[in-house]
Amino acid sequence: SLAATTLGLFSLFLGTVVFCEMAGKTKEIPFWMQTWPFELQDALYFGARTRLLLGVVSVAIVATLYKLLLPVKVTIRSALAGAAVFTGLLLLSRSAYWIYLHYNKHSIDSSYGVFSTLILIMLWVHFVVSCLLYSCLFALHLDRASGAHGHDEPGHSTKLAA
Protein backbone atom coordinates (compact mmCIF):
# COMPACT_ATOMS: atom_id res chain seq x y z
CA SER A 1 0.00 0.00 0.00
CA LEU A 2 0.96 3.65 -0.28
CA ALA A 3 1.43 4.08 3.47
CA ALA A 4 3.77 1.08 3.66
CA THR A 5 5.78 2.38 0.69
CA THR A 6 6.10 5.81 2.27
CA LEU A 7 7.14 4.31 5.60
CA GLY A 8 9.70 2.11 3.86
CA LEU A 9 11.17 5.09 1.99
CA PHE A 10 11.34 7.10 5.20
CA SER A 11 13.08 4.19 6.96
CA LEU A 12 15.58 3.94 4.09
CA PHE A 13 16.32 7.65 4.40
CA LEU A 14 16.81 7.45 8.17
CA GLY A 15 19.08 4.43 7.75
CA THR A 16 21.15 6.35 5.20
CA VAL A 17 21.43 9.34 7.53
CA VAL A 18 22.60 7.09 10.39
CA PHE A 19 25.09 5.31 8.11
CA CYS A 20 26.51 8.62 6.86
CA GLU A 21 26.87 9.95 10.39
CA MET A 22 28.53 6.72 11.51
CA ALA A 23 30.93 6.80 8.55
CA GLY A 24 31.92 10.36 9.39
CA LYS A 25 32.91 9.44 12.94
CA THR A 26 34.93 6.25 12.37
CA LYS A 27 37.31 4.86 9.78
CA GLU A 28 36.37 1.24 10.46
CA ILE A 29 34.12 -0.65 8.05
CA PRO A 30 30.99 -1.92 9.88
CA PHE A 31 30.94 -5.67 10.57
CA TRP A 32 27.86 -6.23 8.41
CA MET A 33 29.65 -4.76 5.38
CA GLN A 34 32.89 -6.73 5.73
CA THR A 35 31.67 -9.67 3.64
CA TRP A 36 30.79 -7.41 0.70
CA PRO A 37 33.24 -6.92 -2.21
CA PHE A 38 35.93 -4.37 -1.40
CA GLU A 39 34.98 -2.08 -4.30
CA LEU A 40 31.40 -1.83 -3.03
CA GLN A 41 32.54 -1.20 0.55
CA ASP A 42 34.92 1.52 -0.65
CA ALA A 43 32.32 3.20 -2.86
CA LEU A 44 29.63 3.21 -0.14
CA TYR A 45 32.02 4.46 2.52
CA PHE A 46 33.35 7.23 0.25
CA GLY A 47 29.79 8.24 -0.60
CA ALA A 48 28.82 8.23 3.07
CA ARG A 49 31.79 10.30 4.19
CA THR A 50 31.35 12.91 1.47
CA ARG A 51 27.56 12.98 1.94
CA LEU A 52 27.20 12.10 -1.75
CA LEU A 53 25.30 8.94 -0.79
CA LEU A 54 22.88 10.98 1.31
CA GLY A 55 22.26 13.36 -1.60
CA VAL A 56 21.63 10.54 -4.09
CA VAL A 57 19.31 8.67 -1.73
CA SER A 58 17.48 11.90 -0.88
CA VAL A 59 16.90 12.74 -4.56
CA ALA A 60 15.67 9.20 -5.27
CA ILE A 61 13.30 9.13 -2.30
CA VAL A 62 11.83 12.60 -2.84
CA ALA A 63 11.37 11.93 -6.57
CA THR A 64 9.58 8.68 -5.73
CA LEU A 65 7.35 10.50 -3.25
CA TYR A 66 6.52 13.13 -5.87
CA LYS A 67 5.58 10.41 -8.36
CA LEU A 68 3.46 8.49 -5.80
CA LEU A 69 1.84 11.13 -3.63
CA LEU A 70 1.09 14.10 -5.84
CA PRO A 71 -2.51 14.33 -7.04
CA VAL A 72 -1.09 15.61 -10.35
CA LYS A 73 0.85 13.17 -12.49
CA VAL A 74 4.35 14.49 -13.27
CA THR A 75 7.07 13.09 -15.47
CA ILE A 76 10.04 11.39 -13.87
CA ARG A 77 12.28 14.15 -15.26
CA SER A 78 10.28 16.84 -13.46
CA ALA A 79 10.13 14.76 -10.28
CA LEU A 80 13.92 14.28 -10.33
CA ALA A 81 14.49 18.01 -10.98
CA GLY A 82 12.21 18.95 -8.06
CA ALA A 83 13.91 16.40 -5.82
CA ALA A 84 17.33 17.78 -6.79
CA VAL A 85 16.14 21.30 -5.89
CA PHE A 86 14.91 20.04 -2.51
CA THR A 87 18.15 18.18 -1.78
CA GLY A 88 20.25 21.16 -2.82
CA LEU A 89 18.25 23.56 -0.68
CA LEU A 90 18.40 21.19 2.27
CA LEU A 91 22.14 20.53 2.08
CA LEU A 92 23.03 24.20 1.55
CA SER A 93 20.69 25.49 4.22
CA ARG A 94 21.95 22.98 6.77
CA SER A 95 25.33 24.69 6.75
CA ALA A 96 23.76 28.14 7.05
CA TYR A 97 21.57 26.91 9.91
CA TRP A 98 24.54 25.61 11.91
CA ILE A 99 26.50 28.81 11.30
CA TYR A 100 23.51 30.81 12.54
CA LEU A 101 23.26 28.63 15.65
CA HIS A 102 26.99 28.92 16.31
CA TYR A 103 26.89 32.71 16.45
CA ASN A 104 23.43 33.18 18.02
CA LYS A 105 23.14 30.30 20.51
CA HIS A 106 23.52 32.56 23.55
CA SER A 107 20.88 35.08 22.45
CA ILE A 108 18.46 32.27 21.56
CA ASP A 109 18.98 30.64 24.96
CA SER A 110 18.49 33.94 26.78
CA SER A 111 15.32 34.72 24.81
CA TYR A 112 13.55 31.36 25.04
CA GLY A 113 15.20 29.68 28.03
CA VAL A 114 14.39 25.98 28.40
CA PHE A 115 12.16 26.12 25.31
CA SER A 116 14.99 27.18 22.96
CA THR A 117 15.53 23.64 21.66
CA LEU A 118 11.82 23.26 20.93
CA ILE A 119 11.74 26.61 19.11
CA LEU A 120 14.79 25.69 17.01
CA ILE A 121 13.31 22.30 16.09
CA MET A 122 10.03 23.95 15.09
CA LEU A 123 11.89 26.49 12.94
CA TRP A 124 13.91 23.72 11.26
CA VAL A 125 10.83 21.61 10.54
CA HIS A 126 9.05 24.66 9.13
CA PHE A 127 12.01 25.41 6.88
CA VAL A 128 12.30 21.80 5.63
CA VAL A 129 8.58 21.68 4.82
CA SER A 130 8.88 25.02 3.00
CA CYS A 131 11.79 23.61 0.95
CA LEU A 132 9.72 20.51 0.16
CA LEU A 133 6.73 22.58 -0.97
CA TYR A 134 8.90 24.92 -3.03
CA SER A 135 10.62 22.03 -4.80
CA CYS A 136 7.26 20.34 -5.39
CA LEU A 137 5.94 23.50 -7.05
CA PHE A 138 9.16 23.70 -9.05
CA ALA A 139 8.56 20.17 -10.34
CA LEU A 140 4.92 20.92 -11.17
CA HIS A 141 5.72 24.13 -13.04
CA LEU A 142 8.62 22.49 -14.87
CA ASP A 143 6.25 19.75 -15.96
CA ARG A 144 3.66 22.29 -17.07
CA ALA A 145 6.26 24.37 -18.96
CA SER A 146 7.59 21.34 -20.81
CA GLY A 147 4.06 20.41 -21.87
CA ALA A 148 4.65 16.77 -20.96
CA HIS A 149 1.49 15.89 -19.11
CA GLY A 150 0.68 12.28 -18.41
CA HIS A 151 -2.60 10.53 -19.07
CA ASP A 152 -5.41 10.80 -16.58
CA GLU A 153 -5.56 7.97 -14.08
CA PRO A 154 -8.13 7.38 -11.38
CA GLY A 155 -7.28 9.76 -8.57
CA HIS A 156 -4.83 11.72 -10.73
CA SER A 157 -5.58 14.92 -12.55
CA THR A 158 -3.27 16.51 -15.09
CA LYS A 159 -4.64 20.00 -14.49
CA LEU A 160 -3.00 22.33 -12.02
CA ALA A 161 -5.13 24.59 -9.87
CA ALA A 162 -4.63 28.20 -10.85
Side-chain angles (χ1 to χ4, degrees):
S1 80
L2 193 58
T5 303
T6 305
L7 184 61
L9 289 172
F10 183 69
S11 300
L12 175 67
F13 182 72
L14 284 181
T16 306
V17 169
V18 168
F19 177 67
C20 288
E21 289 300 320
M22 179 188 71
K25 298 196 184 325
T26 182
K27 294 189 188 299
E28 295 179 21
I29 302 292
F31 70 92
W32 51 270
M33 274 180 61
Q34 291 176 358
T35 59
W36 295 3
F38 177 72
E39 293 81 15
L40 183 60
Q41 290 178 21
D42 196 36
L44 282 175
Y45 228 63
F46 173 77
R49 274 202 221 128
T50 60
R51 299 294 193 260
L52 184 65
L53 179 67
L54 186 60
V56 169
V57 169
S58 177
V59 167
I61 288 173
V62 173
T64 304
L65 288 175
Y66 286 168
K67 286 294 288 180
L68 292 176
L69 298 179
L70 288 180
V72 176
K73 188 175 179 186
V74 295
T75 62
I76 190 68
R77 181 175 174 235
S78 297
L80 284 171
V85 167
F86 171 73
T87 301
L89 284 172
L90 197 63
L91 293 178
L92 290 174
S93 64
R94 186 177 70 171
S95 299
Y97 183 72
W98 290 115
I99 291 170
Y100 172 77
L101 285 182
H102 177 74
Y103 289 110
N104 294 312
K105 183 69 173 151
H106 178 69
S107 64
I108 293 170
D109 285 341
S110 66
S111 296
Y112 298 109
V114 296
F115 296 109
S116 62
T117 303
L118 179 65
I119 297 297
L120 290 174
I121 289 171
M122 288 171 47
L123 285 172
W124 181 249
V125 168
H126 173 59
F127 183 75
V128 169
V129 169
S130 297
C131 287
L132 188 67
L133 290 175
Y134 175 78
S135 64
C136 179
L137 287 173
F138 179 83
L140 289 172
H141 286 285
L142 181 67
D143 196 54
R144 175 189 261 180
S146 69
H149 298 293
H151 302 291
D152 281 337
E153 293 180 7
H156 285 82
S157 172
T158 58
K159 295 180 182 176
L160 293 176

